[in-house]
Amino acid sequence: MRILYTPAGDTDPIRNYHDGGILHILRHYNPEKIFVFLSAEMKMKEEQRQIYTKAIKYVAPSCELNFIKTDIIDVHRMENLFPLIDEYLNIRKKYPNDEILLNLSSGTPQMKTIMSFIATDFDNVRAVQVDSPAGKSNRSAFATQDNEDIDVLLELNEDNEKDSPNRCSEPPLNVLQWYSLKHQLISLVNSFEYRSAYKIYAKHKNLFAEIVGDLLQHCILREDMRTKKAFEIIKKVNGISLDKECNAKVKQINEFLMIMELRQKKGQISEFLVKITPFLYELTLFHLQNNLGIKAEQFCDKGSSYGQWNINKEKLKSCLPQAAAALEMKYGIFRDRTDLSFTNILEILNVIENSQKEKEINQLLNDLRIAERKYRNIAAHVISEINDDLVSSTDLMLKIRKVFFLIMEKEDIFRKNIYYVLNEILVKELNEKH
């Protein structure tokens, strides 16, 4: 069903021997129902002379007529016109699946503005604009006067002629909507708020290219470390690969690092701090095994937990006697089958360093170990949100990135965070009108 929702104004129902906006839309769109919003002044005209009833029934006798009568006086004040929106919402609720026509040419300028906003903010509506017969402002023509006979005006209406032109048009308000939504989405993307951006995109898919949705879904999945699914959606865009053909463990650590940076940039400091310990464990274990050639199985046994290593004291003494001594000194009594943690790997690295590069790596790792212990202690004793007043997260992130790139110097990794690349692509696509 097609429904016309419209305010009534001075140009209605007839002005200068031509249809006003209401009658012209009725004439050319043939809605089954019409809801006419009346201010106090227009209500009085209708109740005294039935000008709207007579005119509407003359042009569209089969259209079901409904009046929304109000006592609004100052119709030039936007704040008085919220009922115009409320009544639209009531109609939309009652007729959720029907097409609603919105008249943008009747009522005060403030009413027309509100109707335009409704047209851009809601789905399943068609905004209709009616040009004046002269093709310019209609203000110079006299409005229907209170002493004029509406029946005579209807008979003399030139738009009753069969060859009278159709002055209706549907302005491309979706361009305004696209422009507004585009800036909302760009702001969310640049803040790495991909889920919020996708919710807006999903409601307005017709305004944006499909690739925008694919990229947003990719970002959401990737941020959740669901990289396999992310790459099923999109793996390459505009000739840019979103993946690296590298060692699976390198790829995992690289992804972990980029997500940590995302948390830090978004101000999610508590989540950022939580990621530091497992990240440093995976990074130092990789360094020990792949760069220094010391495999965990040489001095560890598999633990009961998935992927966990437990240090075997006898193996360690045989394989790395200096490291075994360092751990004994650190703990007083070093227990057999102690977990291979970041702290314990660092103790091993500290006694086997050879090159200047390894010394630089170890210095950074020791600084990070101090920071990790300090901030973990803060997180354990603070119930409020942790922010940069308590934690120098930017400096901490810089050190983490530096040690990562030193350790992964020979690997094919993302040196620029992939989310910055994704954001650049997204912003470019959002700026394209489709």
Side-chain angles (χ1 to χ4, degrees), residues 415-432:
R415 298 189 177 277
K416 181 177 182 179
N417 194 313
I418 190 61
Y419 294 96
Y420 295 136
V421 176
L422 285 162
N423 286 3
E424 289 169 6
I425 298 169
L426 272 163
V427 169
K428 184 179 178 182
E429 291 295 336
L430 286 166
N431 276 315
E432 294 289 332

Side-chain angles (χ1 to χ4, degrees), residues 213-236 242-243 255 259 418-419 422:
D214 290 343
L215 286 166
L216 288 171
Q217 283 188 301
H218 175 93
C219 291
I220 292 166
L221 290 165
R222 195 161 185 164
E223 192 178 352
D224 289 341
M225 290 294 285
R226 297 164 67 190
T227 50
K228 184 178 178 181
K229 276 194 169 292
F231 292 132
E232 285 174 5
I233 292 173
I234 190 166
K235 195 170 183 178
K236 191 173 185 178
L242 304 178
D243 194 12
E255 291 290 331
I259 292 169
I418 190 61
Y419 294 96
L422 285 162

Side-chain angles (χ1 to χ4, degrees), residues 141-307:
F142 289 110
T144 303
Q145 302 300 304
D146 290 344
N147 60 356
E148 290 182 288
D149 189 330
I150 186 63
D151 295 308
V152 173
L153 290 173
L154 287 167
E155 289 296 329
L156 297 175
N157 184 358
E158 294 179 20
D159 281 315
N160 291 331
E161 301 296 328
K162 288 184 179 180
D163 59 350
S164 63
N166 180 351
R167 294 180 280 112
C168 294
S169 63
E170 296 181 23
L173 294 179
N174 63 332
V175 174
L176 297 177
Q177 187 181 29
W178 166 78
Y179 189 81
S180 173
L181 291 171
K182 174 190 81 167
H183 286 287
Q184 289 182 51
L185 288 171
I186 288 173
S187 178
L188 289 168
V189 164
N190 285 333
S191 299
F192 309 104
E193 298 293 345
Y194 303 116
R195 280 183 170 79
S196 297
Y198 187 79
K199 285 179 182 178
I200 294 174
Y201 163 82
K203 286 181 65 179
H204 305 280
K205 287 183 179 181
N206 60 309
L207 297 177
F208 300 99
E210 187 178 348
I211 193 172
V212 171
D214 290 343
L215 286 166
L216 288 171
Q217 283 188 301
H218 175 93
C219 291
I220 292 166
L221 290 165
R222 195 161 185 164
E223 192 178 352
D224 289 341
M225 290 294 285
R226 297 164 67 190
T227 50
K228 184 178 178 181
K229 276 194 169 292
F231 292 132
E232 285 174 5
I233 292 173
I234 190 166
K235 195 170 183 178
K236 191 173 185 178
V237 58
N238 300 336
I240 300 170
S241 176
L242 304 178
D243 194 12
K244 289 288 185 183
E245 301 299 327
C246 58
N247 175 292
K249 179 55 70 174
V250 172
K251 186 180 294 189
Q252 182 190 48
I253 298 170
N254 197 183
E255 291 290 331
F256 207 77
L257 172 77
M258 293 188 291
I259 292 169
M260 284 175 64
E261 190 172 8
L262 220 60
R263 299 286 181 266
Q264 188 268 325
K265 292 291 183 184
K266 290 166 74 171
Q268 298 171 345
I269 308 303
S270 295
E271 292 182 40
F272 164 64
L273 293 176
V274 167
K275 302 283 186 187
I276 292 176
T277 302
F279 171 78
L280 290 175
Y281 168 73
E282 293 291 350
L283 182 64
T284 51
L285 181 60
F286 174 86
H287 179 51
L288 187 70
Q289 297 195 115
N290 292 270
N291 292 345
L292 303 179
I294 302 171
K295 304 299 182 183
E297 55 264 32
Q298 291 178 242
F299 62 95
C300 293
D301 300 321
K302 277 288 185 182
S304 56
S305 301
Y306 176 75

Side-chain angles (χ1 to χ4, degrees), residues 7 9 48 65 111 117 133 173 181 186 222 235 245 248 263 296 308 310 320 336 344 348 364 378:
Q48 290 178 352
L65 173 57
M111 286 178 166
F117 277 126
L173 294 179
L181 291 171
I186 288 173
R222 195 161 185 164
K235 195 170 183 178
E245 301 299 327
R263 299 286 181 266
Q308 181 62 50
N310 298 139
L320 299 166
D336 191 28
N344 292 334
I348 295 170
L364 285 165
I378 290 173

